Amino acid sequence: MPTTVAPNSRERVAVLCARCHAAETALVVRTEHLCRECFTKYVTNKVLKRLESNKLRGGFKDPQKTLLVPVSFGVSSIVLLHVLDQQLSNRAEAGRHAGYNLRILFVDQSAVLEQVSPHDLLNLLKQRYPSHTYTVVSLEDCCDYGVDFDKPGFAGTLADGRSALDKPTRLKHILSSLPSATSRADMIEILRRRLILAFAHRNACDSILFGDSTTRLAEKTLSETAKGRAIALPWLTADGSSSDATNSTYPLRDLLRKELGAYASITSPPLTPFILQAPVQMPTSSKEATIDGLMTQYFESVEQNYPSIVANVLRTSGRLVAPSTSEGTNACAICGHPIVNESWGGDQVDSAAPQLADSNGSGHGKELCYGCVRTVWKD
Ligand SMILES: [Zn+2]
């Protein structure tokens, strides 16, 4: 029925916040009506609780910790940086011990991905959050951080002396030799992660704070499983030590992506100018579709109406335990994870091995894990 009451008229009945019962509702979070301030507290508390349970908040008597925050200019990492920066400023204003300092890392992937060069954005970010240390590393520099492009798996395509090429060109060659868009996206993600882990290790960071939301972690759970990497899920999605003993934490794991989006637009000033993330769209051809892209689209729709499904996927993967490894376990040449006995994938690995033989004709089934064999495997 049409109404004659103007939207801002006094006659409009305001729904009050379900927590403070004083301010007007700004948004509905999982059926709860919240005002701006209570929503801000909701987000902040979820983040700080995660730091607390991982003993990273740093008490008065604790030595100051160094925490690495990889920033990609997606909504999650920007919100994470903002919340942590706010907490540090609040502590400083109250004359309290900081507890931790932040190192911000940006991995420049412009050699292999079409993206706007974010260097201007990075300068703006430094201006807004000036009290942290910023570093930019290019993706191809992963070779200076323990990734060996001469190893089989990478080198199979470069056996003809192309190792004399510069790093960006070699990386482009490796990617273009991969069989599908999914494999290329997978390889880029693996190299980016290895670079971040190695950077944290080299710079004696106590933990890496990844910005993954509940939604992102649920996407990862299903897409890594589809890519044959389910065995690595505890290392890729759980708080704690990853396979190389670097500590990782996911402080946004209890927040949905849409909640982070809402948060980014209500801060003052808003964080939206820092967010580069392209809206989810269908790739122009099915050839360019990736498993990760499909998962993103799927969860984008699920989280709107069924947020509990998203949380459930993550809770289920949280019950997985990292496979036990002993000292002699080989690390995979590509992803760096230990190669554990994956008998369920054994037949496929064996049949794939001859196709992965290097120029000397020897197979290298034992140097790659099952997931990476599938990534580089050409039918
Ligand atoms: Zn691997």
Side-chain angles (χ1 to χ4, degrees):
M1 217 174 92
T3 170
T4 51
V5 181
N8 288 324
S9 131
R10 284 186 186 178
E11 290 171 53
R12 188 168 64 110
V13 182
V15 180
L16 292 182
C17 169
R19 295 201 177 178
C20 67
H21 306 290
E24 204 173 312
T25 294
L27 72 170
V28 180
V29 180
R30 308 189 199 199
T31 72
E32 200 179 13
H33 288 73
L34 295 183
C35 69
R36 248 162 207 266
E37 200 174 320
C38 288
F39 176 61
T40 305
K41 273 188 205 153
Y42 165 88
V43 171
T44 309
N45 287 343
K46 294 247 181 204
V47 175
L48 298 184
K49 232 169 85 186
R50 273 285 148 193
L51 291 191
E52 186 82 59
S53 59
N54 286 286
K55 302 192 169 49
L56 295 172
R57 255 176 106 166
F60 175 63
K61 286 182 185 157
D62 301 331
Q64 197 170 43
K65 295 199 170 4
T66 300
L67 306 180
L68 183 71
V69 181
V71 163
S72 62
F73 294 100
V75 65
S76 307
S77 53
I78 295 296
V79 167
L80 179 59
L81 171 58
H82 179 81
V83 171
L84 297 172
D85 181 85
Q86 288 294 107
Q87 202 221 0
L88 288 175
S89 323
N90 292 345
R91 280 189 167 185
E93 271 169 35
R96 288 168 57 205
H97 176 64
Y100 56 86
N101 60 68
L102 300 181
R103 281 204 73 146
I104 316 299
L105 177 67
F106 175 71
V107 179
D108 185 342
Q109 301 171 93
S110 55
V112 293
L113 287 181
E114 277 178 44
Q115 54 178 199
V116 193
S117 168
H119 289 275
D120 295 343
L121 215 47
L122 202 63
N123 285 333
L124 284 178
L125 200 66
K126 284 183 201 168
Q127 282 168 27
R128 176 129 173 208
Y129 307 108
S131 45
H132 319 298
T133 312
Y134 290 78
T135 312
V136 178
V137 183
S138 294
L139 184 64
E140 58 271 22
D141 290 338
C142 61
C143 337
D144 304 329
Y145 285 86
V147 176
D148 186 353
F149 283 166
D150 288 323
K151 281 259 172 103
F154 296 118
T157 57
L158 293 167
D160 51 359
R162 273 179 272 175
S163 55
L165 297 171
D166 63 8
K167 287 183 283 183
T169 314
R170 290 199 74 189
L171 179 58
K172 277 183 211 163
H173 269 293
I174 289 168
L175 292 174
S176 63
S177 76
L178 294 174
S180 67
T182 292
S183 294
R184 283 187 284 280
D186 195 35
M187 181 68 84
I188 291 174
E189 190 49 38
I190 286 170
L191 297 180
R192 181 174 184 271
R193 188 178 169 88
R194 282 192 70 179
L195 178 53
I196 293 169
L197 258 56
F199 181 91
H201 187 73
R202 192 176 289 181
N203 291 281
C205 298
D206 294 282
S207 187
I208 307 168
L209 306 187
F210 286 104
D212 305 37
S213 59
T214 312
T215 321
R216 175 70 191 121
L217 290 170
E219 283 166 17
K220 245 193 201 173
T221 299
L222 296 198
S223 65
E224 294 303 322
T225 304
K227 288 185 280 183
R229 299 186 183 280
I231 205 151
L233 278 174
W235 296 316
L236 294 170
T237 60
D239 287 1
S241 291
S242 45
S243 58
D244 72 344
T246 310
N247 187 281
S248 304
T249 310
Y250 297 86
L252 304 181
R253 70 160 56 244
D254 297 320
L255 292 155
L256 296 169
R257 183 178 289 137
K258 64 176 179 181
E259 292 167 351
L260 300 176
Y263 181 87
S265 55
I266 68 158
T267 58
S268 172
L271 304 174
T272 34
F274 295 111
I275 296 165
L276 270 185
Q277 208 156 295
V280 180
Q281 50 185 228
M282 291 296 283
T284 43
S285 79
S286 60
K287 238 180 146 184
E288 288 307 306
T290 63
I291 290 176
D292 292 275
L294 291 173
M295 285 303 154
T296 306
Q297 284 166 30
Y298 170 67
F299 279 107
E300 172 97 357
S301 60
V302 171
E303 76 159 11
Q304 289 307 321
N305 301 312
Y306 310 102
S308 60
I309 291 184
V310 184
N312 243 326
V313 171
L314 188 54
R315 214 170 303 129
T316 308
S317 82
R319 297 198 194 103
L320 298 171
V321 182
S324 61
T325 51
S326 54
E327 242 176 52
T329 312
N330 277 353
C332 171
I334 294 180
C335 71
H337 290 139
I339 303 174
V340 280
N341 186 18
E342 298 166 86
S343 50
W344 51 275
D347 293 349
Q348 291 177 56
V349 173
D350 286 347
S351 64
Q355 296 173 50
L356 288 166
D358 59 25
S359 54
N360 302 320
S362 56
H364 46 258
K366 283 194 184 127
E367 294 191 64
L368 300 182
C369 70
Y370 176 64
C372 287
V373 167
R374 287 188 29 162
T375 289
V376 298
W377 184 3
K378 286 180 193 151
D379 291 306

